[in-house]
Amino acid sequence: MLANPSTSTTLHYRPNSTHNPPFSHINHRCKLSLSPNCPRFTNFAKSKCSSLSLLLSRRKRERLVTVVKAFEDTSAVNDGPQSLHQHISVKIPVGDRHIMVETGHLGRQASGSVTIIYTSVCLDDVPSEPSDFYPLSVNYQERFSAAGRTSGGFFKREGRLKDHEVLICRLIDRPLRPTMLKGFYHETQILSWVLSYDGLHSPDSLAVTAAGIALALSEVPNTKVIAGVRVGLVDNKFIVNPTTKEMEESKLDLLLAGTDSAIFMIEGYCNFLPEEKLLEAVQIGQDAVRTICNEVNALVKKCGKPKMLDAIKLPPPELYKHMEEIAGDELVKVLQIRNKVPRRKALQSLEEKVLSILTEKGYVSKDQSFGIPETVADLLEVEEEDEEVVVDGEVDEGDVHIKPNGRRSSPSLFSEVDVKLVFKEVTSKFLRRRIVEGGKRSDGRTPEGIRPIDSSCGLLPRAHGSALFTRGETQIIVNAHFIMHSFQNPIHGVSLAVVTLGDKQMAQRVDNLVDEEEFKRFYLQYSFPPSCVGEVGRIGAPSRREIGHGMLAERALEPILPSENDFPYTVRVESTITESNGSSRSEAIKSANCLSLNSMASVCGGCLALQDAGVPVKCMIAGIAMGMVLDTGEFGGDGTPLILSDITGSEDASGDMDFKVAGNEDGVTAFQMDIKVGGITLPVMRTALLQARDGRKHILAEMLKCSPSPSKRLSKYAPLIHVMKVNPEKVNIIIGSGGKKVKSIIEETGVEAIDTQDDGIVKITAKDLSSIEKSISIISRLTMVPTVGDIYKNCEIKSVAPYGVFVEIAPGHEGLCHISELSSNWLPKAEDAFKVGDRVDVKLIEVNGKGQLRLSRKALLPEATSEKSSAEQQARDLTEGNTEQSKDKSRATKFVNPTKVDSVEDAPLSKKKAYKRLTSSARDGPKNSSTTVSSIASKDENSLVNGEAKIG
């Protein structure tokens, strides 16, 4: 470990007013501590780490003394010497609360750290191989102990990152990467953990700010301090860093990151928010970010470490001149090739040609050791004048031993890596020049032009819904890899979207810091296989980029979905990219911004697939990816940024902006912007948003031409879901002890699942109608409340007594049918005519004060019905004064000899009468109401309803 000590700092998050403060159950504050020193040794053997520590310790101490002296000059806290672990704090106002940064508590051996979101920045001691991709890795994790709980899974230790943690890793990475200086190749790692969480404030925006502060205090050479904030919209009022409760009512979820002068990253979701309202929110967020950055700059001046500017190694300037002389004319011709594959092959061939020419002329060295930055040798040779150099074999304990190593002169050759880096930069420069000077892009479109669009639905007959969205030349998709090598003109972007419908058991369970069970009834999963760019690659867990693009498309589609009450299905959308216009998959995985246009194709294809599956979406939406050439004055333009609509992969890689916007003509549902240069201003963003709206209108018009069009009806293969309402007090009866009853119902009826809720909602999922009807009958009998006058058919006799029989009218409900109510004729004993197991029809005639049921079989017999009619007629005659006539009728009825019938089945056909009454409603509560979602049309509320989707 390094022998040098370090300073330290802490950050708190607390309100300025009476607002409930976040982060900390005891003192109500969020504490983030920073400290500037780190042993930058990773992936080294133990002996190598030890030797390097001794070699570098002297220079580290020299840098630290400079920092401590600066702190002593600016602080008057103590009159005596300052401690090397001095506590420094900075208070930063943010909205109606403030963030307090303190340093010196944790992570004192890291380059920079922050807690209670603890963030550290460490970098490798030896630079990696030069490349066009800065070696930065970010890892963010939420410790369950931060909320006083443990994981709900079998393994109680935190494992691989969850999806939402991966998304926050991307939120941290994307705004920091553009601030890194080119030519710095030391591998850098940012680790961030949530150590304390109060449940009031989402930690993602604080994690972005913490990483920005830690990076600013570290040795990593970056241009600007980065900070992040969240902006919500509650009651038409914007709130900076709102609480989780405020976000539940918010119409906007915007996370913004940037510097004191520009915006570097925005990501947000809303419910068709107009562009002007969105720009207003961005302005408020930018003001808050500016305040944080200004305060952090003051902190960096106090305790920041000197940047490693001497470690930057750029290609020689004369190499750019040689590159343009050799390849300039051919680059102009190659970039005019419209199709991706021929253009890519031509560029590869030209790169090999340039490398061969430079090698023949003696400008290129292929020595693998060439290119090791001289700065490493400088570090090894920094020693004090009195430090003795000991030759091999002479070892004195306690001395610093360095083997003599003469300084090498820098060769006058170019490395092969430098040639490839410069070739790529020159290619991007020529592409940008062609767009600005000629007004035409590689495929011949204008800056506002949209590629040809073709879409079709119902490709997969067995799936519940499917759609193929193609952006580029229209072609029949058989296999993306086959098409790339069989057709001369490959398609530019194809997304195959498949929708699957299911019940709650198919919902995605989310494990979060808050000890609440959360399920997602809609989720979109994005896949970018190597075959979509004609490559062979490993297939495994989804990459961070796939998770991020899938979430963007998911949040974009979420506002158009019906409520769970209107559509009780769980919806899963799979979006598979079968063809991509972008660069190779390996390059795409490197860059968080590359090939973002595929996520917007997933929005368009997902919208069509939802309609094809019969989901009644509220409206149609589309997505578009926007690009930009910021400095047009470099290429003879007027200096105004040039906005590009519907960018391709090469324009994404060579451009300065990646701005994805989804929505319809009225507003935006999701947006994501990443900047690759020094940030953009609000006027530039306004221009991009308005141009994106025009592009969405065009794409929506093309989607309406989809052929075959979406079916807008539930597939016959989709499961049926019947929703019914029972008395909430009866839910436990359906479940039974340990779930035995509900399991028996599922086994008996053949339904797939029965889901019950505490509010009395019961959802029955099955593949056919008959099994649903059986389960409805059983559940209705279980939850019914007996009411006088109800008739119960085919009920089983459970026991026989001398005075009558006990009949089960429903599970758990038995009543006594007295011997006098069993038959119209006199019976000496009940067992003479009935036995246990017989089934009879009975009518409930009384419920006494104890809740006991009195039943009658005689009331349903034909004789009883005839006598009842005569009695009713007698009552009417008495009312009319016809007493004598009614006496005669009564006498006539008395001497009639009725046919003896013991049951309805034994009665003559002419006397049979069906009795049926719904008994599934609760008499002492709300009646059982039910609806079933299916593709079978019916007008009856209690039967299956049409699942046709209505647009608009």
Side-chain angles (χ1 to χ4, degrees):
M1 305 300 289
L2 289 179
N4 60 305
S6 67
T7 59
S8 58
T9 314
T10 314
L11 188 152
H12 305 272
Y13 191 26
R14 61 173 64 170
N16 288 330
S17 61
T18 57
H19 193 283
N20 289 333
F23 273 87
S24 176
H25 299 286
I26 300 176
N27 52 16
H28 301 288
R29 64 184 185 179
C30 171
K31 175 181 178 185
L32 297 92
S33 62
L34 307 103
S35 89
N37 292 5
C38 170
R40 302 186 318 270
F41 312 128
T42 57
N43 301 325
F44 284 94
K46 184 176 181 181
S47 59
K48 190 169 185 180
C49 287
S50 176
S51 60
L52 286 175
S53 326
L54 295 174
L55 294 175
L56 298 177
S57 61
R58 173 60 58 188
R59 181 158 186 170
K60 297 293 183 184
R61 278 198 296 272
E62 291 175 355
R63 291 180 178 176
L64 181 62
V65 168
T66 304
V67 176
V68 173
K69 285 182 178 178
F71 172 74
E72 289 175 350
D73 294 339
T74 57
S75 175
V77 177
N78 297 319
D79 296 331
Q82 298 293 321
S83 169
L84 292 176
H85 291 169
Q86 181 63 40
H87 210 156
I88 301 175
S89 64
V90 176
K91 183 182 292 187
I92 306 173
V94 180
D96 61 348
R97 35 185 86 84
H98 66 260
I99 299 175
M100 181 177 290
V101 183
E102 300 176 348
T103 152
H105 280 202
L106 298 178
R108 292 171 180 169
Q109 301 206 22
S111 289
S113 63
V114 183
T115 184
I116 285 180
I117 294 182
Y118 171 80
T119 302
S120 63
V121 176
C122 289
L123 50 148
D124 205 340
D125 187 64
V126 178
S128 57
E129 184 72 18
S131 68
D132 60 337
F133 176 74
Y134 180 71
L136 171 67
S137 62
V138 179
N139 191 84
Y140 168 91
Q141 192 170 47
E142 296 172 352
R143 300 285 178 87
F144 284 104
S145 57
R149 57 182 297 257
T150 58
S151 174
F154 179 78
F155 297 100
K156 297 306 179 184
R157 180 170 182 169
E158 285 80 3
R160 69 181 184 89
L161 299 184
K162 296 178 280 293
D163 283 1
H164 78 277
E165 292 173 331
V166 170
L167 297 174
I168 297 177
C169 289
R170 287 170 52 85
L171 290 176
I172 297 172
D173 182 286
R174 284 156 44 201
L176 293 179
R177 192 172 293 276
T179 67
M180 304 300 183
L181 295 179
K182 291 184 178 180
F184 186 76
Y185 301 119
H186 291 259
E187 183 177 355
T188 306
Q189 185 180 51
I190 299 178
L191 302 179
S192 184
W193 296 292
V194 178
L195 301 184
S196 180
Y197 180 60
D198 66 347
L200 293 178
H201 293 82
S202 179
D204 49 5
S205 60
L206 291 178
V208 175
T209 301
I213 298 175
L215 196 66
L217 292 174
S218 71
E219 297 170 312
V220 178
N222 61 332
T223 57
K224 289 278 190 177
V225 175
I226 291 292
V229 297
R230 168 174 267 104
V231 180
L233 179 61
V234 181
D235 296 332
N236 208 30
K237 179 183 177 182
F238 292 105
I239 303 175
V240 178
N241 283 349
T243 64
T244 53
K245 291 183 179 179
E246 289 172 334
M247 284 304 301
E248 293 176 359
E249 305 297 329
S250 177
K251 297 180 180 179
L252 170 68
D253 181 8
L254 166 65
L255 197 143
L256 180 144
T259 65
D260 56 356
S261 59
I263 303 168
F264 275 73
M265 185 272 293
I266 63 171
E267 180 166 332
Y269 312 98
C270 47
N271 192 3
F272 299 99
L273 196 69
E275 284 79 1
E276 293 299 328
K277 205 72 174 177
L278 176 59
L279 290 169
E280 187 179 347
V282 172
Q283 180 64 64
I284 292 175
Q286 175 61 18
D287 294 341
V289 166
R290 183 182 300 110
T291 302
I292 298 175
C293 291
N294 291 337
E295 298 294 339
V296 173
N297 285 328
L299 176 65
V300 172
K301 292 179 180 179
K302 289 184 178 181
C303 56
K305 300 184 71 174
K307 300 298 182 181
M308 295 176 60
L309 299 177
D310 52 354
I312 295 177
K313 181 180 179 295
L314 296 172
E318 57 268 21
L319 182 55
Y320 291 87
K321 181 180 178 181
H322 289 303
M323 188 67 65
E324 293 190 16
E325 290 176 353
I326 297 174
D329 294 337
E330 292 192 46
L331 266 178
V332 173
K333 297 178 182 179
V334 170
L335 293 176
Q336 293 177 3
I337 302 175
R338 295 192 174 190
N339 299 309
K340 183 190 89 170
V341 174
R343 182 172 63 248
R344 185 178 65 182
K345 291 182 177 179
L347 286 173
Q348 291 175 349
S349 176
L350 182 58
E351 181 184 16
E352 294 174 359
K353 178 181 178 181
V354 171
L355 188 60
S356 176
I357 293 174
L358 291 175
T359 303
E360 292 175 359
K361 292 184 177 181
Y363 288 110
V364 176
S365 170
K366 294 193 176 183
D367 185 3
Q368 295 298 327
S369 63
F370 179 80
I372 297 179
E374 188 179 350
T375 53
V376 174
D378 293 340
L379 288 174
L380 297 177
E381 293 176 3
V382 174
E383 298 295 330
E384 291 185 351
E385 294 180 358
D386 58 349
E387 205 164 12
E388 180 183 2
V389 177
V390 182
V391 296
D392 291 344
E394 299 177 2
V395 179
D396 294 331
E397 187 174 356
D399 290 341
V400 177
H401 309 291
I402 300 177
K403 185 177 181 179
N405 185 10
R407 184 189 296 266
R408 293 187 303 172
S409 60
S410 177
S412 58
L413 297 176
F414 307 136
S415 69
E416 185 174 344
V417 174
D418 283 343
V419 173
K420 294 182 178 181
L421 291 177
V422 171
F423 180 82
K424 185 172 182 178
E425 290 186 31
V426 172
T427 301
S428 297
K429 178 181 177 181
F430 274 63
L431 177 63
R432 293 153 64 90
R433 177 182 295 170
R434 168 181 167 81
I435 296 173
V436 175
E437 293 181 354
K440 296 290 184 181
R441 296 148 75 174
S442 295
D443 54 7
R445 287 181 292 149
T446 62
E448 300 82 9
I450 308 294
R451 288 171 293 168
I453 293 174
D454 179 71
S455 55
S456 57
C457 290
L459 277 77
L460 308 178
R462 188 60 179 80
H464 297 164
S466 59
L468 185 69
F469 182 82
T470 305
R471 191 147 31 189
E473 289 88 348
T474 304
Q475 294 187 352
I476 299 175
I477 302 300
V478 179
N479 179 277
H481 184 76
F482 171 78
I483 291 174
M484 286 193 62
H485 295 280
S486 299
F487 293 93
Q488 185 177 0
N489 296 327
I491 51 181
H492 287 178
V494 178
S495 171
L496 177 63
V498 181
V499 173
T500 305
L501 304 177
D503 59 357
K504 186 178 179 180
Q505 293 182 350
M506 202 181 80
Q508 176 69 54
R509 185 178 183 272
V510 180
D511 201 1
N512 49 32
L513 280 177
V514 183
D515 193 12
E516 295 178 0
E517 200 172 50
E518 180 182 351
F519 291 91
K520 290 172 60 177
R521 59 178 292 263
F522 170 68
Y523 49 96
L524 186 147
Q525 296 170 337
Y526 173 94
S527 178
F528 185 80
S531 60
C532 70
V533 288
E535 291 184 349
V536 176
R538 183 181 65 86
I539 298 294
S543 65
R544 291 187 174 187
R545 176 181 163 277
E546 290 174 313
I547 294 174
H549 286 188
M551 179 56 65
L552 178 63
E554 175 184 316
R555 295 291 297 270
L557 290 168
E558 204 167 15
I560 70 173
L561 294 177
S563 66
E564 187 174 3
N565 293 333
D566 297 332
F567 195 74
Y569 286 95
T570 294
V571 182
R572 177 197 182 197
V573 179
E574 298 172 78
S575 178
T576 303
I577 305 303
T578 59
E579 179 83 16
S580 175
N581 180 261
S583 52
S584 67
R585 185 171 184 261
S586 58
E587 293 176 348
I589 293 176
K590 283 182 181 180
S591 173
N593 303 331
C594 187
L595 296 182
S596 59
L597 53 107
N598 292 326
S599 61
M600 295 296 96
S602 299
V603 173
C604 301
C607 180
L608 293 173
L610 287 172
Q611 296 178 59
D612 189 57
V615 180
V617 297
K618 299 175 183 177
C619 63
M620 291 182 64
I621 64 170
I624 186 171
M626 311 294 292
M628 178 185 65
V629 178
L630 183 62
D631 187 10
T632 58
E634 179 185 357
F635 309 109
D638 58 0
T640 304
L642 181 63
I643 307 299
L644 306 177
S645 296
D646 187 23
I647 58 174
T648 61
S650 59
E651 293 166 345
D652 184 10
S654 301
D656 300 324
M657 179 183 74
D658 174 26
F659 193 9
K660 302 174 281 289
V661 188
N664 62 4
E665 304 92 334
D666 301 324
V668 177
T669 60
F671 50 91
Q672 185 183 93
M673 183 186 71
D674 297 298
I675 301 300
K676 307 172 188 178
V677 289
I680 66 169
T681 58
L682 209 61
V684 177
M685 185 177 173
R686 182 189 305 274
T687 303
L689 274 174
L690 296 179
Q691 189 168 321
R693 181 174 61 186
D694 296 335
R696 292 199 310 273
K697 291 180 181 179
H698 173 80
I699 296 174
L700 286 170
E702 294 297 318
M703 290 171 62
L704 291 175
K705 302 176 184 178
C706 177
S707 178
S709 60
S711 66
K712 300 182 181 180
R713 293 182 63 87
L714 287 176
S715 168
K716 63 180 181 180
Y717 299 109
L720 305 177
I721 296 182
H722 182 88
V723 182
M724 59 187 301
K725 176 76 174 179
V726 301
N727 190 333
E729 298 177 356
K730 303 290 184 178
V731 171
N732 291 334
I733 299 177
I734 301 176
I735 299 174
S737 176
K740 292 181 180 179
K741 190 61 182 179
V742 70
K743 291 178 182 178
S744 67
I745 298 174
I746 293 174
E747 183 177 355
E748 178 181 350
T749 61
V751 298
E752 294 184 350
I754 297 176
D755 177 47
T756 60
Q757 300 177 9
D758 294 338
D759 59 355
I761 296 295
V762 179
K763 297 179 181 179
I764 307 171
T765 306
K767 293 182 178 179
D768 57 272
L769 182 60
S770 61
S771 58
I772 286 184
E773 291 176 341
K774 292 178 182 177
S775 60
I776 292 174
S777 176
I778 296 175
I779 293 175
S780 298
R781 292 198 303 268
L782 282 173
T783 59
M784 67 91 178
V785 176
T787 304
V788 174
D790 285 347
I791 298 174
Y792 304 96
K793 310 286 288 185
N794 198 31
C795 300
E796 182 181 0
I797 297 177
K798 289 294 185 178
S799 61
V800 180
Y803 50 84
V805 296
F806 288 91
V807 182
E808 184 184 50
I809 59 175
H813 296 278
E814 292 186 9
L816 172 64
C817 186
H818 193 264
I819 190 171
S820 62
E821 297 292 337
L822 282 174
S823 175
S824 300
N825 299 328
W826 180 80
L827 290 176
K829 293 182 180 180
E831 57 266 25
D832 293 344
F834 301 96
K835 63 181 182 297
V836 174
D838 288 349
R839 293 188 173 272
V840 295
D841 299 337
V842 293
K843 179 179 180 179
L844 180 61
I845 57 176
E846 183 184 352
V847 180
N848 62 19
K850 297 181 180 180
Q852 296 173 335
L853 309 181
R854 184 185 174 195
L855 306 174
S856 173
R857 175 177 176 270
K858 182 175 68 174
L860 299 181
L861 299 178
E863 296 84 348
T865 304
S866 176
E867 292 180 0
K868 181 178 179 182
S869 300
S870 299
E872 292 176 351
Q873 183 62 38
Q874 285 182 353
R876 286 195 297 269
D877 293 343
L878 287 173
T879 304
E880 296 173 356
N882 300 326
T883 307
E884 191 65 25
Q885 184 178 359
S886 59
K887 287 182 179 180
D888 296 338
K889 289 183 179 180
S890 178
R891 190 179 300 111
T893 304
K894 182 178 180 180
F895 290 101
V896 169
N897 185 17
T899 304
K900 295 182 180 180
V901 182
D902 291 336
S903 66
V904 176
E905 288 76 6
D906 298 331
L909 183 62
S910 60
K911 293 187 179 182
K912 287 185 178 180
K913 185 175 182 181
Y915 296 91
K916 184 175 182 181
R917 182 173 179 178
L918 296 178
T919 60
S920 60
S921 59
R923 303 305 181 188
D924 56 348
K927 292 187 176 181
N928 291 357
S929 60
S930 58
T931 57
T932 305
V933 181
S934 145
S935 58
I936 305 175
S938 175
K939 295 183 180 180
D940 188 356
E941 181 184 0
N942 289 317
S943 61
L944 302 181
V945 300
N946 196 340
E948 182 176 357
K950 297 181 180 179
I951 308 302

